[in-house]
Amino acid sequence: MADFKTHVSVGAATGFAVAIVTYNWNLIPNAYMAVIVFFATTIGSFLPDMDSNSGLPVKIIFSVYAYFMAAMSLFWMHTAGAGLSLKIFVPVACFFFTIKFLKEIFVKYTSHRGIFHSIPAYIMSFLLPLFIASTTRLNVREQFVIAFAVSTGYLCHLILDEFWSVKAFSDGISKGKTIKIKNIFGKNSLKKSFGTALDLGFNQPEKYPGVICWITVLVFAIITRPTWLELITLIGSGK
């Protein structure tokens, strides 16, 4: 499979392209939004490797999430009128609880190239950001652009992993060898990892997460239904 550096490089290039296209098509209002789209795509490009137990992606993601939880808990304490001691203790506790306890649970119960490398996980990479974006002040068009950006980066990761499962591509790119067509379709041209990044979630090391993931997809499809209907109405009105 492609390494982290390759995934981020391809994700950043894809993010730049998505930002330019959405800005030129007036799907986003300004250059500031284009920057957000760029980073959303880039972040999406390494999300599938969250299940890499010792990998950089999970460290980055849980670090960001820990700071986010600390900030949110501080906001909740301030809103509730809590004292100074609680304003200090609760955010610090939330930070360490997230980065130590939750991260360890996640690492323990996931395996690399597991459910995060699957089609239902890719669909969730669109639905979950769409749900989160729908709770903000972004208009419906911008909500879909953000969700599309994250899922596009996610899909690029999965496709790149499948390309890397073809020996001619992985050897040609990583080792600087010439890529020959006959080697792509030749005997023993595919690695054992081929097909494990874009399956339906049932051929993974974990079995039950595939079912759970599809149920989650259905739940979030229902939850985001009002947003879909709003977009359809917007398109129908020609705006």
Side-chain angles (χ1 to χ4, degrees):
M1 64 190 71
D3 57 20
F4 179 72
K5 181 179 179 180
T6 302
H7 280 304
V8 173
S9 298
V10 173
T14 305
F16 182 76
V18 173
I20 293 297
V21 170
T22 53
Y23 182 72
N24 286 337
W25 286 4
N26 296 319
L27 297 176
I28 50 179
N30 49 51
Y32 297 106
M33 192 68 180
V35 174
I36 294 176
V37 169
F38 167 78
F39 280 108
T41 309
T42 305
I43 291 173
S45 69
F46 62 76
L47 284 180
D49 276 346
M50 282 181 63
D51 55 12
S52 178
N53 294 349
S54 60
L56 185 59
V58 71
K59 294 179 181 178
I60 294 175
I61 292 167
F62 272 92
S63 294
V64 172
Y65 186 56
Y67 281 111
F68 173 77
M69 290 301 296
M72 288 302 298
S73 62
L74 177 60
F75 173 77
W76 292 329
M77 291 297 100
H78 178 74
T79 303
L84 178 61
S85 57
L86 282 178
K87 288 181 179 179
I88 295 175
F89 173 77
V90 173
V92 171
C94 285
F95 177 87
F96 283 103
F97 176 78
T98 302
I99 205 166
K100 294 293 184 180
F101 184 71
L102 291 184
K103 178 184 174 184
E104 290 303 317
I105 291 179
F106 184 86
V107 169
K108 181 178 180 180
Y109 290 101
T110 59
S111 58
H112 192 42
R113 272 298 184 107
I115 194 61
F116 283 92
H117 287 72
S118 67
I119 292 176
Y122 158 64
I123 298 174
M124 278 305 303
S125 75
F126 179 87
L127 292 176
L128 183 57
L130 179 62
F131 169 71
I132 295 173
S134 68
T135 64
T136 68
R137 296 181 180 180
L138 297 173
N139 63 48
V140 66
R141 183 184 288 112
E142 293 165 354
Q143 293 170 23
F144 272 89
V145 168
I146 293 297
F148 173 77
V150 176
S151 62
T152 299
Y154 202 103
L155 182 61
C156 282
H157 181 114
L158 301 184
I159 292 175
L160 191 58
D161 273 348
E162 293 294 6
F163 270 111
W164 235 253
S165 295
V166 180
K167 294 180 181 179
F169 284 115
S170 59
D171 291 344
I173 297 174
S174 62
K175 300 179 182 179
K177 297 181 179 180
T178 303
I179 301 177
K180 298 179 180 180
I181 300 297
K182 65 177 182 178
N183 292 337
I184 297 176
F185 302 100
K187 185 179 180 181
N188 299 323
S189 62
L190 302 179
K191 299 179 181 179
K192 292 182 179 180
S193 59
F194 184 79
T196 59
L198 281 171
D199 69 4
L200 293 176
F202 301 114
N203 295 320
Q204 304 287 341
E206 321 96 357
K207 301 299 181 182
Y208 293 111
V211 176
I212 295 173
C213 196
W214 275 113
I215 293 174
T216 306
V217 166
L218 178 60
V219 170
F220 273 87
I222 296 173
I223 291 175
T224 57
R225 181 173 176 269
T227 310
W228 287 95
L229 293 177
E230 187 178 350
L231 178 67
I232 293 172
T233 302
L234 183 66
I235 295 175
S237 65
K239 295 182 181 179

